[in-house]
Short mmCIF file of all heavy atoms in Angstrom, two decimals:
data_model
loop_
_atom_site.label_atom_id
_atom_site.label_comp_id
_atom_site.label_asym_id
_atom_site.label_seq_id
_atom_site.Cartn_x
_atom_site.Cartn_y
_atom_site.Cartn_z
N LYS Q 108 115.16 82.30 61.56
CA LYS Q 108 114.06 82.25 62.54
C LYS Q 108 113.52 83.63 62.92
O LYS Q 108 112.37 83.76 63.32
CB LYS Q 108 114.52 81.54 63.82
CG LYS Q 108 114.71 80.05 63.65
CD LYS Q 108 115.06 79.45 65.01
CE LYS Q 108 115.42 77.99 64.95
NZ LYS Q 108 116.04 77.54 66.21
N GLY Q 129 114.59 67.05 44.95
CA GLY Q 129 113.52 66.23 44.36
C GLY Q 129 114.06 65.05 43.57
O GLY Q 129 113.54 63.93 43.67
N PHE Q 131 117.32 63.83 43.73
CA PHE Q 131 118.29 63.02 44.49
C PHE Q 131 117.59 62.07 45.47
O PHE Q 131 118.05 60.94 45.70
CB PHE Q 131 119.24 63.96 45.26
CG PHE Q 131 120.50 63.30 45.74
CD1 PHE Q 131 121.49 62.93 44.83
CD2 PHE Q 131 120.70 63.04 47.08
CE1 PHE Q 131 122.66 62.32 45.27
CE2 PHE Q 131 121.87 62.43 47.52
CZ PHE Q 131 122.85 62.06 46.62
N LYS Q 242 106.91 72.60 26.72
CA LYS Q 242 106.70 73.95 26.20
C LYS Q 242 105.33 74.49 26.60
O LYS Q 242 105.21 75.62 27.08
CB LYS Q 242 106.85 73.93 24.67
CG LYS Q 242 106.81 75.30 24.03
CD LYS Q 242 107.18 75.23 22.57
CE LYS Q 242 107.24 76.63 21.98
NZ LYS Q 242 107.80 76.65 20.63
#
Side-chain angles (χ1 to χ4, degrees):
K108 288 184 186 167
F131 197 71
K242 186 171 185 171

